[in-house]
Structure formats: C-alpha cells, structure tokens
Amino acid sequence: MTDRIPQTFPRFEDVEDERRHRKQRLAAAFRLFGRFGFDEGVAGHITARDPERLDHFWVNPLGMSFKQIRVKDLVLVNRTGEVVEGSWPLNRAAFVIHSQVHEARPDVVAAAHAHSVYGKTFSMLRTPLDPLTQDACAFYGDHAVFEDYTGVVLDLEEGKRIAHALGGTKAVILSNHGLLTVGHTVDEAAWWFITMERSCQAQLLGQAAGTPVPIDPEQAELTAGQVGSHVAGWLSFQPMYDWIVEEQPDLLDE
Ligand SMILES: [Zn+2]
C-alpha cells in the first residue's frame, strides 16, 4: 500500500506535461474553493506560473463560477496583463496582485486569494493568527498582515506593496479584505488557503467561547516544522484532489 502514498511532489521532464499537471491542479483547486463556499460574486483568483514562460500565469476567467471551471477555461496572462490564451476577460485585481507576487517571489509557483467568510472576518482584526491549534502552527512565524486598506486593488503599486508585506512567507492577511497564500506548487498554495481559512474559523470560535491558551513558542516552532513544510502542504492537498476529481471529473476537460 505504501507505494500509493507519494512522499514528494512530482517532477517533470516534459514542459507540456508539467503545464497540463499545473492546469489540472488549478482547475481542481477552483472546484474545491467553490465546494467550500469561498466564492463571492466574481471575487477571488488562484494563479499558476507557466512552467515555460515564467513571467506568464494561468488564472480563472473573470465572471465564471469557481464551481464550473474546467482545464480548458483557464486563461494565460502575460506580464503586461494581456490574455494570450483563452477568450474570457481577466480580473484586473487578479493581475495587479498576482503579477507582483509572482515577480517578487521567483520560488512561488502559485498564489491563491478569495473572500472566504472566516478569512475576511479575521482580517478585520488586523492581527496575525495565534498558534492555538496544531494546524494553525503551519503559519507560526510564517505569515504577515497587510495593515492597510485602500479600496479594490487596481494599481500595480498596491500589488507591489502586498507582495512586499508577504515577504518570504507563505501567506498574508489583507486587512478588511481576505487571505492570500502562496506555494511552490498549486497544491500547496490551495491547501494553505483552505487550512488558513479554517484556522481563522477556529480562532474566532475559540475567542468567542472564552480565552484561548496558545501553544508554547518552542512547541509552536517545532510543530511549524512538522506541518508547515512545502511537502506537508502539498501532501495535504492530495486526498482533496482525488476526491474532487472523482466527484466532478469534467473539471479535467481540455
Ligand atoms: Zn480580493
């Protein structure tokens, strides 16, 4: 049985194979975000860097439900914000934020952002997540708060400031707005978003119920190394990918 459990993310010899893989993971991530109710009108975007044209990224078309996105619906955007593959328009905010994150972080393959309820509720507090649960330790010392809100992000300078706030971490809480996560794989970025949203929910519930006791810094640090690695993030996404593909196989349509 152990040969069915992959220990690390796949590597590709062929760039076409790698591109297809990224697009499949991206379409699946949208279906999962839709399934979990992370969509809000036309807000939210997940991007995957193209494996060949490194300053281009794949993204959801503006106006299409996360719940209906297939591999063939994804659009490819160049560094100036033009759609170079696909016929649907692009969300300007998606370009402005994600282009700057991808540019500032060459290590990042994917970035995810949505207006999910617990993430945006937590973002009102303008405070980082506390190490209150084992899962939340994935973000211990590894996320930032962008303590500013200046309207819908339409200006490249604002995207740059968000990328600057993110720094070298895996996530940034955008005040009064929502969460943004990044990863070395689409799988990882999507998983950090899902688990961060749930960690926000857990902290809000805990604070509503009483006075939560945080995990000791030393233990939080140790746990961060266990649950917060690139491979751990990638691995956590695998059961969800298998489940959503089995439930909604049309997401793979090319
Ligand atoms: Zn947004």
Side-chain angles (χ1 to χ4, degrees):
M1 286 299 285
T2 51
D3 63 341
R4 288 216 60 239
I5 303 173
Q7 294 301 312
T8 188
F9 38 84
R11 310 253 173 224
F12 295 89
E13 298 290 325
D14 184 85
V15 76
E16 286 294 336
D17 291 345
E18 187 165 22
R19 180 177 294 120
R20 177 177 294 109
H21 179 83
R22 282 189 192 177
K23 290 170 72 178
Q24 289 175 341
R25 300 286 153 156
L26 189 55
F30 283 116
R31 295 295 183 101
L32 287 164
F33 276 33
R35 191 70 155 64
F36 297 149
F38 297 169
D39 46 346
E40 179 89 19
V42 298
H45 6 91
I46 315 174
T47 52
R49 193 191 296 278
D50 187 77
E52 191 173 22
R53 288 166 282 185
L54 299 178
D55 57 357
H56 288 47
F57 57 79
W58 295 91
V59 65
N60 47 313
L62 173 64
M64 185 179 288
S65 169
F66 288 0
K67 300 182 179 83
Q68 293 180 307
I69 291 174
R70 300 161 297 185
V71 167
K72 66 178 175 186
D73 298 316
L74 298 169
V75 300
L76 181 65
V77 180
N78 70 12
R79 65 177 320 223
T80 61
E82 286 169 331
V83 173
V84 296
E85 274 190 47
S87 52
W88 283 59
L90 167 73
N91 184 330
R92 173 76 187 165
F95 172 69
V96 165
I97 299 173
H98 291 245
S99 66
Q100 299 311 303
V101 168
H102 282 288
E103 191 167 313
R105 288 284 298 275
D107 63 307
V108 158
V109 164
H113 166 66
H115 298 182
S116 51
V117 172
Y118 294 102
K120 69 181 167 189
T121 305
F122 195 84
S123 79
M124 302 167 191
L125 307 176
R126 300 195 178 194
T127 177
L129 271 172
D130 293 327
L132 294 174
T133 63
Q134 177 170 306
D135 297 326
C137 287
F139 302 98
Y140 184 68
D142 196 18
H143 73 293
V145 180
F146 180 65
E147 292 185 31
D148 204 1
Y149 181 81
T150 56
V152 175
V153 183
L154 298 173
D155 177 355
L156 277 177
E157 280 309 311
E158 191 72 351
K160 270 194 180 62
R161 293 177 61 226
I162 290 172
H164 181 75
L166 172 69
T169 70
K170 61 161 68 89
V172 58
I173 297 170
L174 308 177
S175 294
N176 309 90
H177 184 174
L179 309 177
L180 184 143
T181 58
V182 299
H184 286 186
T185 54
V186 173
D187 312 53
E188 194 196 337
W191 170 252
W192 296 140
F193 192 95
I194 292 164
T195 193
M196 193 176 203
E197 164 74 4
R198 294 166 68 96
S199 291
C200 288
Q201 181 179 6
Q203 181 162 339
L204 290 165
L205 283 171
Q207 289 174 338
T211 308
V213 178
I215 295 168
D216 292 339
E218 204 175 297
Q219 298 306 323
E221 185 86 46
L222 171 75
T223 311
Q226 294 164 332
V227 301
S229 71
H230 298 298
V231 171
W234 174 85
L235 186 60
S236 296
F237 184 77
Q238 303 315 304
M240 293 187 161
Y241 179 82
D242 293 343
W243 164 64
I244 201 72
V245 167
E246 185 169 310
E247 187 185 270
Q248 304 178 18
D250 67 304
L251 76 87
L252 295 178
D253 289 355
E254 297 184 23

